[in-house]
Amino acid sequence: MAILDPNSRWKHLDRILSRPGPFVDEESFAPSTVEDAVGRMKVLVILVKYLPIQNSAANELHADTIDISNLNRQFLFRQEDVGKPKAEVAAAFVMKRVKGVTITPYYGAIQDKGEDYYMQFNMVVCGLDSVEARRWINATLVDMVDMENPESLKPLIDGGTEGFKGQSRVILPTITSCYECSLDMLTPPTAVPLCTLASIPRQPAHCIEWASILEWPRIMGDKKMDTDDPVHIQWLYEKALERAREFNIPGVTYTMTQGVVKNIIPAIASTNAIIAASCCNEAFKIATNSNPYLNNYMMYTGNEAVYTYTFEHERKPDCPVCGNLASRFEANGDWTLQEFIDRLKEKPEVQIKRPTLSTQNKKLYYQGPPQLREQTAPNLDRKLRELISSGEEVGITDPGLPFSLRLNVVFK
């Protein structure tokens, strides 16, 4: 695409790309080479779970199909697209709308691709719908960085919305604050006591959580639940519906099951458009060096008025992904191991569901295989001080974590 051609459709960009602005680093901005540099740029756009910019090549990765509920909050899909892979439909729509752009869709989970796949891109733009997926791609890009190979550092532009609120951010793996550094900014999930789910459900959501938290592992064992798999969602819906009928609770639907299991918050098209524009703006600035990019976090809220705030989120030295230190965790030595695990689940900066715990010399509790789970299950009722010493490092793995969490457990 000829960005610098005054007769091209991109002539409105000439004022930005043909001369340096007041905030431009003149050593890194060369108008004569911008067109060629942007033409070679490869951008990976990862959509929900597993935007286009004006360039010559992009890949779009998506592990979901179009649901009828998607039609009211975005502009790429139509009624006839329901049931089709989102990546393929979005790619076709954008290539038809923006002549000259090439988008290669991939319908699958982000975990299916290895480092070699991600290494081919110059930057990654994310519009993911889950904390787990964001943590995975963040940890993967951090792990890819080789200090002796500058090309291994892939800028990550992340955007997300929640109703009338949204955020966009620029992450330079190993240099700036990463996604894991900011987990404590998330709203803690509302926890329902297991006794309520097991014996006295009162709401449709209780029946759905019972099916996913208690019934799935009881029947499916170690099989991991895939919340993007319609077969798994259908199974949960049927079990939750049976439970609801048993307790005369109306309101359980397939859509609600999806919403509860995936923690889906209704999206608003205008908020999505604002955050998508912000992400595209940052991608454009990184691709062209035409202006300083965001440093490094922008918050938006449109509940009662339009308000934005930009600040620099600082790295955490004890971040389990980009830091070098184990995180300090204060615990009561008289807690049982089960109580310790329950407290960990309440921490927004930890975000675990089915953890396996060990020290350098001892297996504390293993989720699997069944023999190890049976062998370590008695430890759940033992006090922490009987299992570890104050200040000892505990390693934690979890299906939702793409890395091992290290905690220095200090008795208070």
Side-chain angles (χ1 to χ4, degrees):
M1 88 187 173
I3 291 180
L4 301 180
D5 181 356
N7 298 315
S8 77
R9 65 178 298 186
W10 311 117
K11 60 185 179 181
H12 58 285
L13 296 176
D14 281 0
R15 292 180 181 176
I16 299 174
L17 298 179
S18 62
R19 59 190 180 188
F23 304 107
V24 171
D25 179 359
E26 294 190 18
E27 293 184 1
S28 61
F29 177 70
S32 61
T33 62
V34 165
E35 180 180 5
D36 184 54
V38 173
R40 295 196 309 268
M41 185 71 60
K42 289 190 70 175
V43 180
L44 174 63
V45 181
I46 308 177
L47 298 180
V48 185
K49 190 74 170 215
Y50 282 90
L51 359 208
I53 97 169
Q54 297 164 349
N55 69 345
S56 62
N59 278 42
E60 185 174 281
L61 193 156
H62 208 305
D64 204 358
T65 55
I66 299 167
D67 184 79
I68 193 168
S69 64
N70 297 133
L71 303 183
N72 72 333
R73 58 179 180 264
Q74 53 67 53
F75 315 104
L76 301 178
F77 310 139
R78 300 294 182 265
Q79 181 72 41
E80 60 269 20
D81 298 324
V82 172
K84 299 177 182 178
K86 290 181 178 178
E88 297 174 5
V89 174
F93 183 96
V94 174
M95 285 191 288
K96 181 179 179 181
R97 182 73 175 267
V98 185
K99 302 299 183 183
V101 68
T102 301
I103 301 177
T104 304
Y106 173 73
Y107 174 54
I110 58 177
Q111 298 91 334
D112 292 346
K113 297 295 188 181
E115 285 190 2
D116 290 344
Y117 177 79
Y118 294 106
M119 194 66 75
Q120 67 180 296
F121 300 100
N122 299 98
M123 75 176 82
V124 178
V125 182
C126 287
L128 295 163
D129 71 342
S130 75
V131 172
E132 291 83 1
R134 280 187 167 92
R135 296 177 82 180
W136 190 91
I137 190 63
N138 173 75
T140 297
L141 295 181
V142 171
D143 289 342
M144 282 170 47
V145 175
D146 180 353
M147 294 304 178
E148 297 182 358
N149 177 18
E151 296 297 321
S152 65
L153 193 154
K154 310 298 180 183
L156 171 62
I157 301 170
D158 178 63
T161 66
E162 183 176 308
F164 285 102
K165 300 177 182 178
Q167 55 81 25
S168 64
R169 63 188 301 183
V170 174
I171 296 172
L172 302 181
T174 73
I175 296 177
T176 65
S177 165
C178 76
Y179 182 77
E180 198 73 21
C181 292
S182 61
L183 276 186
D184 56 358
M185 295 177 62
L186 299 178
T187 303
T190 303
V192 180
L194 288 179
C195 58
T196 298
L197 301 181
S199 57
I200 49 171
R202 298 185 298 273
Q203 302 173 13
H206 293 170
C207 301
I208 297 169
E209 292 189 26
W210 169 85
S212 62
I213 297 174
L214 299 177
E215 199 67 358
W216 177 275
R218 186 183 74 83
I219 296 178
M220 298 297 185
D222 293 328
K223 183 177 181 179
K224 185 178 179 181
M225 183 194 305
D226 182 357
T227 57
D228 285 318
D229 189 332
V231 175
H232 290 190
I233 297 296
Q234 182 66 29
W235 187 93
L236 293 173
Y237 164 62
E238 292 173 359
K239 292 296 180 183
L241 192 59
E242 292 175 9
R243 181 76 165 174
R245 287 169 177 166
E246 179 183 350
F247 288 87
N248 296 316
I249 300 173
V252 173
T253 64
Y254 182 89
T255 301
M256 175 182 282
T257 303
Q258 279 185 309
V260 170
V261 174
K262 299 178 68 171
N263 193 28
I264 294 175
I265 297 171
I268 296 173
S270 58
T271 309
N272 289 352
I274 290 170
I275 298 303
S278 175
C279 290
C280 285
N281 198 32
E282 297 309 320
F284 179 79
K285 289 188 287 185
I286 291 175
T288 63
N289 290 317
S290 59
N291 266 289
Y293 48 79
L294 179 67
N295 184 30
N296 51 28
Y297 201 111
M298 187 278 286
M299 299 177 63
Y300 163 82
T301 179
N303 295 57
E304 298 178 358
V306 175
Y307 174 77
T308 62
Y309 177 64
T310 301
F311 66 96
E312 181 179 0
H313 192 281
E314 297 184 358
R315 288 182 66 185
K316 287 187 175 181
D318 60 352
C319 173
V321 172
C322 70
N324 299 314
L325 305 175
S327 302
R328 176 186 171 92
F329 189 91
E330 291 191 353
N332 189 323
D334 291 325
W335 288 348
T336 64
L337 184 60
Q338 181 62 64
E339 289 175 320
F340 174 67
I341 292 173
D342 292 341
R343 298 296 179 103
L344 284 176
K345 290 181 177 180
E346 295 172 359
K347 294 288 185 179
E349 69 270 23
V350 176
Q351 299 268 338
I352 58 174
K353 296 179 180 178
R354 300 180 63 241
T356 290
L357 297 86
S358 63
T359 66
Q360 188 174 3
N361 303 312
K362 184 184 297 183
K363 298 178 178 66
L364 298 179
Y365 177 66
Y366 273 56
Q367 294 282 351
Q371 296 89 343
L372 270 179
R373 183 171 65 234
E374 184 177 345
Q375 178 184 337
T376 57
N379 287 339
L380 294 174
D381 297 323
R382 297 179 63 186
K383 294 181 179 179
L384 283 181
R385 65 176 74 257
E386 298 174 4
L387 298 169
I388 61 175
S389 303
S390 181
E392 189 169 0
E393 185 173 305
V394 176
I396 302 172
T397 60
D398 187 272
L401 291 178
F403 55 87
S404 295
L405 183 65
R406 296 160 53 209
L407 295 180
N408 276 332
V409 181
V410 179
F411 297 156
K412 57 183 179 180

